[in-house]
Amino acid sequence: FLSLVAEFCCGFFVILILGKFWFLAVLYLLWLYLDWETPCTGGRRSQWVRSWTVWKYFREYFPIHLIKTSELSPNHNYLLGFHPHGVLVAGAFGNFCTGPSFKNLFPGLTPFLHIMPIWFGCPFFREYVMSAGMVSASKESVSYVLNNEGGGHASVIVIGGAEEALNAHPGSLTLNILKRKGFIKMALKHGAHLVPVFSFGENELFKQVANPRGSWLRNVQEKLQKIMGFALPLFHARGVFQYSFGLIPYRQPIHTVVGSPIPVKQNLNPTTEEIEELHALYLQKLRKLFEEHKRNYGIPEHKSLIFE
């Protein structure tokens, strides 16, 4: 989804360069140079963009819901681990970048959705995603958000990243998390409380071509992902006037459940053992959150999360 919008923006930029308005492209390149660090310093959100009526229809299409299970005091900074990635990451965008749900449920907290730095190199597209409240997923950017004196900031990180999108099959509960410990280290360094978030229904929006590990398709996808920085899942869903084939996501409800915070004491130089210990605790809390709520959202009793 993001790549399609980015391609449109890049295409428009090329048209400017090759057309009689080339001087506008030159001016924008100068702006891009001067504004290059903004995605790493809190971005540039616009409440007007975040409140567009189109996002209301976007949320209602599935529909998308945000569920609160515990209070999050605005006196602290938080690192919210979002799971799973899915193909569209609709729950993360719909709940943390549009509408009043997060603000109403967690007053005093400002959410920042971190996405891959590569997107901020795309002309015009970067302005759009920043206006929605998205910032870079670089270490510098996460540090900037979590360094907010007095608290009130919430970094939202899709922990599984692009690689996890390749597991986004309906019914899949596989999370790429066992080797992902950078977010744990960041939480420790900044004393940010960890909050597991599980988005039920995220993997049900599209059907993906079978790509089991070891298959030729999966091998190609993983190689391309390492080269380009983002995954290329082969997916389909419904059309505009028919339900058999198309790229419009299925109308499946998404329930994004925000768990209870895990208190984290600041530790500027955490040891490997301390990182491993907090990572294990996070996995335990994430699994508990899933088990407590899965019955409410159509997950069979015998199904459990798979960490890899």
Side-chain angles (χ1 to χ4, degrees):
F1 177 72
L2 284 177
S3 61
L4 289 176
V5 180
E7 286 174 13
F8 173 81
C9 292
C10 288
F12 178 70
F13 183 72
V14 170
I15 291 173
L16 279 182
I17 293 177
L18 299 179
K20 58 183 178 181
F21 297 106
W22 59 268
F23 60 93
L24 293 178
V26 173
L27 289 175
Y28 183 81
L29 285 175
L30 176 61
W31 162 256
L32 192 63
Y33 173 77
L34 296 174
D35 194 57
W36 190 255
E37 295 299 322
T38 301
C40 294
T41 54
R44 186 170 47 248
R45 69 181 54 219
S46 165
Q47 191 55 42
W48 174 67
V49 173
R50 290 168 61 88
S51 301
W52 280 352
T53 302
V54 67
W55 303 137
K56 175 178 178 289
Y57 294 121
F58 172 79
R59 294 190 304 274
E60 291 179 351
Y61 171 80
F62 298 98
I64 296 174
H65 304 279
L66 186 65
I67 292 89
K68 172 182 177 180
T69 64
S70 179
E71 295 292 337
L72 297 182
S73 169
N75 297 323
H76 300 290
N77 292 315
Y78 298 89
L79 195 159
L80 278 62
F82 184 91
H83 313 270
H85 184 287
V87 172
L88 191 61
V89 205
F93 179 75
N95 286 311
F96 303 118
C97 296
T98 74
S101 294
F102 187 86
K103 182 178 180 180
N104 291 342
L105 291 177
F106 305 102
L109 284 183
T110 302
F112 296 81
L113 179 59
H114 295 269
I115 63 175
M116 291 184 296
I118 188 174
W119 298 120
F120 296 100
C122 179
F124 302 119
F125 180 73
R126 69 190 298 274
E127 319 304 333
Y128 159 66
V129 293
M130 277 197 289
S131 65
M134 293 183 239
V135 292
S136 172
S138 66
K139 292 180 180 178
E140 296 78 14
S141 176
V142 177
S143 291
Y144 183 91
V145 172
L146 296 182
N147 266 336
N148 192 48
E149 203 169 312
H153 278 188
S155 276
V156 183
I157 301 178
V158 184
I159 304 300
E163 183 182 357
E164 194 172 85
L166 300 178
N167 289 330
H169 297 271
S172 173
L173 295 172
T174 300
L175 304 181
N176 292 67
I177 192 172
L178 292 181
K179 295 181 180 180
R180 296 179 181 266
K181 300 171 184 175
F183 74 103
I184 297 292
K185 189 173 183 179
M186 293 299 289
L188 281 165
K189 282 191 171 185
H190 297 284
H193 294 193
L194 280 167
V195 182
V197 178
F198 195 87
S199 195
F200 292 90
E202 200 75 44
N203 284 340
E204 318 306 315
L205 306 185
F206 297 93
K207 292 179 180 178
Q208 191 174 164
V209 175
N211 59 343
R213 290 194 179 277
S215 66
W216 69 269
L217 176 58
R218 185 60 168 258
N219 291 337
V220 170
Q221 288 175 320
E222 289 177 345
K223 287 179 181 178
L224 289 175
Q225 187 260 323
K226 290 179 181 179
I227 294 172
M228 299 185 297
F230 55 89
L232 290 174
L234 298 179
F235 60 88
H236 66 89
R238 55 163 290 185
V240 178
F241 302 111
Q242 45 77 30
Y243 290 84
S244 57
F245 189 82
L247 295 179
I248 297 176
Y250 293 116
R251 296 192 70 176
Q252 296 288 341
I254 297 171
H255 295 87
T256 304
V257 183
V258 180
S260 301
I262 303 170
V264 177
K265 186 177 180 181
Q266 187 173 24
N267 184 347
L268 296 177
N269 295 292
T271 64
T272 302
E273 291 73 19
E274 289 169 330
I275 294 173
E276 292 284 352
E277 182 180 352
L278 184 54
H279 186 260
L281 177 60
Y282 179 85
L283 294 183
Q284 177 186 331
K285 295 294 185 180
L286 174 60
R287 188 180 294 280
K288 181 181 178 183
L289 177 70
F290 174 81
E291 293 294 331
E292 287 179 347
H293 294 274
K294 67 180 183 181
R295 300 170 193 81
N296 300 331
Y297 307 116
I299 306 295
E301 186 65 33
H302 69 278
K303 291 254 187 173
S304 294
L305 292 179
I306 300 172
F307 297 145
E308 64 174 34

